[in-house]
Amino acid sequence: MSFANFPMGTINPTLEMSFQGIVERAGLATNLEVCLDAGDANSYTSGVRWLDTSGNSNNFLFGAAAGAGTDDPTFNGTPGGLSSSEYMAFDGGDSFHYDGSIPDWANNIAYDNANFTLVCVFAHPETTNGAYFFTTYEGASAFAYPVFQWDWGTAEKVGFYVAKQGANVWSSSGVVYPDNVTTNNTPHFLAVSLNEATGAGGAFFYEDGDYSQIGSADTRSSTYSNPGTGDGRGPFIGGTGSSNRIDNGAKMYGLMVFNAALSKANLDALYAEIGPRFGLS
């Protein structure tokens, strides 16, 4: 496989650490586009923006507008607490909207030669619904758009797909779900890594320290079919601008976007330091 094999620094076993600090120690900061961490005071203390700590100013608004609204997620915990008690809570009608025009890194996820990793620490309630962690979809779908989500049904699996005008760009059979089933009301470290140009073996899912297999395979082909060229919307976290919202009771602890397909070893390094904060090992 040809996933990026980035240098990794010394792992610090301290539990109380920010995502940004962990990424830097792992030697992965160069490829970090977005780092949102509910427990990091540099990412959120108060107000209506979830701040990106990567240095790229990829900030997200609570809801569709800068003012307070009924579609705003709710911060829980103590600012800067860096524990499992700090998270963004959803009530079934909330989402985060990108603060500005859609950036190139978000469009590139749906383009030819896409090369990225999406990471989310998330706990979902016991429900038969599902929703979007991250997407550039809103309304008309003349552009291609990615969707990183959890299952609509009872299986409670992580999924990812790219679509355009009702056709699948990545995944010939709809949303790609690995076999692992996530536990309700429990934090999980979830990721999808994809290098479109690699083709065979160029994509994989990751959950709580291991491959999240598709069938019996650790990886799958990453080749896109008829990928996008136009601008998407958002991006959005927790739903689209107006639909597919994360259910009431869901908790998002943080989200990261990398502009490279991280290797399993890279994700292992991040998980080794991030996981213990949420009782994962």
Side-chain angles (χ1 to χ4, degrees):
M1 289 181 292
S2 58
F3 298 113
N5 206 4
F6 302 99
M8 288 177 283
T10 301
I11 300 300
N12 187 327
T14 305
L15 303 184
E16 305 290 317
M17 294 177 297
S18 69
F19 290 5
Q20 181 67 35
I22 291 167
V23 168
E24 290 174 3
R25 280 188 290 280
L28 301 173
T30 300
N31 295 99
L32 184 64
E33 290 284 1
V34 183
C35 186
L36 305 174
D37 181 351
D40 183 354
N42 292 313
S43 190
Y44 188 77
T45 54
S46 63
V48 294
R49 286 175 175 82
W50 199 358
L51 301 178
D52 170 28
T53 62
S54 74
N56 296 317
S57 299
N58 288 311
N59 305 319
F60 283 77
L61 295 171
F62 283 60
T70 58
D71 59 350
D72 292 1
T74 302
F75 172 75
N76 182 87
T78 302
L82 288 172
S83 75
S84 60
S85 296
E86 283 70 50
Y87 56 83
M88 300 299 179
F90 296 82
D91 67 5
D94 303 333
S95 60
F96 289 96
H97 292 230
Y98 188 75
D99 189 9
S101 301
I102 186 168
D104 288 344
W105 59 262
N107 279 321
N108 289 342
I109 294 172
Y111 287 179
D112 194 26
N113 295 313
N115 192 12
F116 65 89
T117 304
L118 300 171
V119 179
C120 183
V121 181
F122 181 78
H124 60 80
E126 186 170 358
T127 176
T128 57
N129 295 318
Y132 297 171
F133 298 140
F134 178 91
T135 187
T136 64
Y137 173 72
E138 169 67 353
S141 57
F143 49 89
Y145 57 90
V147 176
F148 184 33
Q149 69 172 40
W150 55 280
D151 197 335
W152 298 101
T154 58
E156 308 296 359
K157 296 179 181 179
V158 180
F160 178 80
Y161 68 94
V162 181
K164 182 174 70 173
Q165 293 180 314
N168 291 308
V169 173
W170 190 74
S171 170
S172 60
S173 58
V175 182
V176 178
Y177 293 115
D179 286 348
N180 290 25
V181 178
T182 58
T183 307
N184 293 323
N185 300 307
T186 300
H188 294 282
F189 182 101
L190 309 169
V192 57
S193 173
L194 187 149
N195 185 340
E196 196 273 337
T198 300
F204 69 90
F205 288 89
Y206 186 94
E207 180 180 339
D208 296 345
D210 207 349
Y211 284 115
S212 196
Q213 291 183 322
I214 302 166
S216 59
D218 290 338
T219 65
R220 63 162 288 149
S221 173
S222 59
T223 302
Y224 284 3
S225 174
N226 191 27
T229 56
D231 286 350
R233 303 290 184 269
F236 308 103
I237 296 171
T240 69
S242 59
S243 62
N244 302 312
R245 302 286 178 80
I246 288 177
D247 276 337
N248 184 30
K251 303 172 183 178
M252 184 172 290
Y253 301 88
L255 183 139
M256 293 180 284
V257 182
F258 294 84
N259 61 17
L262 301 188
S263 66
K264 182 177 181 294
N266 295 147
L267 289 170
D268 285 344
L270 297 179
Y271 178 74
E273 292 203 77
I274 291 174
R277 175 170 149 189
F278 304 101
L280 302 170
S281 60

